[in-house]
Amino acid sequence: MRKIVECIPNFSEGRRTDVIDQIVAGIKSVPDAILLDRESDPNHNRSVITFVASPESAVDAALAGARKAAELIDLNRHTGEHPRMGATDVIPFVPISGVTMEECVALARECGQRLWTELGIPVYLYEKAAVRPERENLAAIRKGQFEGIREGIATSEDRRPDFGDARVHPTAGITAVGARPPLIAYNINLGTSDIEVANKIARAVRHQNGGLRYVKALGFELKDRGIVQVSMNMVNCEGTPLFRVFEMVKREAERYGVSVIGSEIVGLVPQMALNAVADFYLQLEGFSAAQILEHRLQSAMEAER
Amino acid sequence: MRKIVECIPNFSEGRRTDVIDQIVAGIKSVPDAILLDRESDPNHNRSVITFVASPESAVDAALAGARKAAELIDLNRHTGEHPRMGATDVIPFVPISGVTMEECVALARECGQRLWTELGIPVYLYEKAAVRPERENLAAIRKGQFEGIREGIATSEDRRPDFGDARVHPTAGITAVGARPPLIAYNINLGTSDIEVANKIARAVRHQNGGLRYVKALGFELKDRGIVQVSMNMVNCEGTPLFRVFEMVKREAERYGVSVIGSEIVGLVPQMALNAVADFYLQLEGFSAAQILEHRLQSAMEAER
């Protein structure tokens, strides 16, 4: 099967289109890196670039973007709502097909090493690529942002980078590089306007309060539709699949006499997450992705190459 | 989106491997035709070859196979259990992605025309490509097989070919060329050994007896497992999707106090048939295939070409 890694670097620039264009051009200049999406938020002053590449090219493409960002972004002049610590703020590598999480961890570490040696930017490793358990959680690493890290990095042992000297790059700051499963933004809509019902269900299903391990959830009002929703991030859809959280939300809603009126996937979803839903509800026996015509075609085309 | 046509020609040879190999080689000699599957049955003395191609190449590849079959197969010497009328017996064109049924009908008619002008083999058009309504059903066309058609074709108006003179090719017979949706072989297993339950459910869900339009179904015993199954051909999985027949079988089984213990997809299934299952059970709102990462990647790659 074709090997595909997804990479979603976040850059601390969401206003100057020419800067973002040059960063994107840097990524696209690497043969075999394919841009899937780019989104810039002027309030957050941040851009999220999604590309896929072979494992051989993924690090080159991430570095090409980071090189441009280091040239063009000065964190000393950066303002915006989103907490940030680097011109290239975070670089997660995500296994999509034919690639293991371990390979993505190796890519993250290679990328971290090269950010330091080639660009002089120190690096924290996070999530699955973390070498210190307390760095698995990105929010903990990011605390204090650029300015706070610049202050504390030389003296505080728990601020010491995983790659590079104990100082931030003067303009490009410091970058968090990690590996993680694909993330799915998934919302379930309820037939009520009572936000308390959504809040209670969110608490029931999310990991934080005793629910499913890979679910983050919040209650949310859709005022224009007069309904509420359980808004979720599914951070590991193999560990906690969509159908399991759907069934749990439906059952919890019943307890309040409320129906699930629909659900929505926001943004991209890996095909295997949907295939797992079909497999569950049809109670399939011995089904393999090799039976999917498009999958067979892909394999046959690669065999011919 | 990339344009893909599937074609599943059936050839009246299932014993002489060298002959089948030469037919397959003929198909594969057309650039951009990709072999997905080949199955030969010595009892039926028949081979089913599955390939995909662009619309531009699908007819060339089918003709390349038919040309070899006409050279190497003499129906006067052919015996086997399966009713047959041509060296190349049937050629269905199936829309898979980026292609409409109308385009496949046009391919079938082009293929039929060229079978006559280039190989001297007359043609019946069937299913969606039929120009006479009574020829939509392949079983009706095939009645009497090679020998019966050879007898009646000159004199009987309802045997007259859609392309070519009213006579069979002396050794290669006559070929049925058509267009149809993808077919899914789908079985639902029941927690009982009582074949009557499977038979009754099969009658309830199949089109023939008043059930769902695009379902053919039979009760079937799985003796080694001590259970029975409803064995189905889903002949149009957009018209009658998998989830609908699954839910109907489950409900009918309940009426006998029987559970559905599993289901199985035999052979290939188009990705969109599984996506429709996920969409139904998750009650998705506004979902589009463009949100599937692999789909987005495919589109991005084609845009770059």
Side-chain angles (χ1 to χ4, degrees), chain A residues 2 4 6 28 33-37 52 96-97 186 189 225 242-243 246 250 260-272 274-275 277-278 281-285 287 290-294 296-298 300-301 304, chain B residues 2 4 6 28 33-37 52 96-97 186 189 225 242-243 246 250 260-272 274-275 277-278 281-285 287 290-294 296-298 300-301 304:
Chain A
R2 176 130 173 261
I4 303 176
E6 187 186 16
K28 289 174 75 172
I34 297 169
L35 185 77
L36 292 192
D37 200 21
V52 291
I96 296 297
S97 79
Y186 182 53
N189 297 329
R225 293 176 64 185
L242 292 172
F243 60 83
F246 179 85
K250 191 161 112 176
V260 166
I261 63 174
S263 78
E264 50 189 38
I265 291 167
V266 183
L268 295 178
V269 60
Q271 182 66 67
M272 63 94 174
L274 296 180
N275 292 346
V277 173
Y281 286 106
L282 296 181
Q283 299 174 221
L284 290 179
E285 296 180 2
F287 182 72
Q291 289 178 255
I292 299 169
L293 191 142
E294 287 82 351
R296 179 80 61 103
L297 172 58
Q298 192 73 42
M301 285 172 66
E304 288 200 353
Chain B
R2 174 130 174 261
I4 302 175
E6 187 187 18
K28 289 174 77 173
I34 296 170
L35 184 76
L36 292 192
D37 200 21
V52 291
I96 295 298
S97 80
Y186 182 53
N189 297 330
R225 294 176 62 185
L242 291 173
F243 61 81
F246 179 84
K250 191 160 110 176
V260 166
I261 62 174
S263 78
E264 51 188 37
I265 292 168
V266 182
L268 295 178
V269 60
Q271 183 65 68
M272 64 93 173
L274 296 180
N275 291 347
V277 173
Y281 286 106
L282 296 181
Q283 300 173 221
L284 291 179
E285 296 180 1
F287 182 73
Q291 289 178 253
I292 300 169
L293 190 142
E294 286 82 350
R296 180 79 62 101
L297 172 58
Q298 192 72 44
M301 286 173 64
E304 288 200 353

Side-chain angles (χ1 to χ4, degrees), chain B:
Chain B
M1 190 165 54
R2 174 130 174 261
K3 293 187 167 202
I4 302 175
V5 175
E6 187 187 18
C7 184
I8 311 103
N10 289 212
F11 300 97
S12 296
E13 177 59 62
R15 295 171 189 162
R16 293 178 296 160
T17 312
D18 61 311
V19 169
I20 307 160
D21 285 349
Q22 287 187 66
I23 293 169
V24 168
I27 292 169
K28 289 174 77 173
S29 72
V30 174
D32 143 316
I34 296 170
L35 184 76
L36 292 192
D37 200 21
R38 54 180 284 185
E39 282 180 41
S40 297
D41 185 320
N43 294 321
H44 288 180
N45 199 6
R46 188 178 182 86
S47 294
V48 178
I49 311 297
T50 305
F51 70 88
V52 291
S54 65
E56 294 70 31
S57 302
V59 173
D60 286 344
L63 281 168
R67 183 172 291 116
K68 271 292 156 202
E71 274 173 46
L72 302 171
I73 299 171
D74 179 355
L75 273 197
N76 301 287
R77 295 149 171 254
H78 180 278
T79 57
E81 283 170 30
H82 198 289
R84 79 286 181 265
M85 55 189 185
T88 303
D89 203 55
V90 296
I91 306 179
F93 292 91
V94 175
I96 295 298
S97 80
V99 177
T100 63
M101 183 59 77
E102 290 63 40
E103 291 176 82
C104 283
V105 166
L107 293 177
R109 293 184 181 158
E110 180 196 335
C111 183
Q113 176 69 60
R114 290 177 60 188
L115 273 167
W116 171 246
T117 52
E118 297 180 19
L119 304 180
I121 299 168
V123 165
Y124 294 128
L125 292 169
Y126 79 103
E127 286 218 19
K128 302 285 186 191
V131 284
R132 300 192 189 190
E134 69 273 20
R135 290 194 181 158
E136 283 172 21
N137 183 356
L138 183 62
I141 296 175
R142 179 183 270 156
K143 219 176 147 190
Q145 299 190 59
F146 173 61
E147 294 78 5
I149 296 168
R150 185 173 56 188
E151 285 265 316
I153 194 169
T155 52
S156 161
E157 165 54 25
D158 61 4
R159 292 280 203 189
R160 183 191 296 273
D162 293 308
F163 291 110
D165 295 341
R167 55 117 188 112
V168 300
H169 183 287
T171 57
I174 186 164
T175 299
V177 184
R180 62 163 175 81
L183 183 150
I184 305 173
Y186 182 53
N187 303 327
I188 299 180
N189 297 330
L190 304 177
T192 177
S193 60
D194 184 353
I195 185 65
E196 260 315 296
V197 172
N199 287 337
K200 282 178 187 161
I201 296 174
R203 278 194 294 273
V205 301
R206 71 189 175 205
H207 184 238
Q208 192 189 348
N209 298 86
L212 296 163
R213 177 158 178 185
Y214 299 112
V215 176
K216 299 179 181 181
L218 283 174
F220 197 80
E221 274 186 278
L222 301 185
K223 293 215 168 119
D224 53 330
R225 294 176 62 185
I227 61 168
V228 297
Q229 72 180 189
V230 183
S231 177
M232 293 173 287
N233 274 331
M234 308 288 295
V235 298
N236 178 343
C237 65
E238 280 191 272
T240 306
L242 291 173
F243 61 81
R244 196 156 293 143
V245 80
F246 179 84
E247 288 295 325
M248 186 177 283
V249 167
K250 191 160 110 176
R251 185 64 192 85
E252 294 284 328
E254 268 176 26
R255 182 244 172 278
Y256 302 104
V258 168
S259 298
V260 166
I261 62 174
S263 78
E264 51 188 37
I265 292 168
V266 182
L268 295 178
V269 60
Q271 183 65 68
M272 64 93 173
L274 296 180
N275 291 347
V277 173
D279 185 275
F280 176 79
Y281 286 106
L282 296 181
Q283 300 173 221
L284 291 179
E285 296 180 1
F287 182 73
S288 137
Q291 289 178 253
I292 300 169
L293 190 142
E294 286 82 350
H295 199 278
R296 180 79 62 101
L297 172 58
Q298 192 72 44
S299 306
M301 286 173 64
E302 274 143 35
E304 288 200 353
R305 250 177 232 144

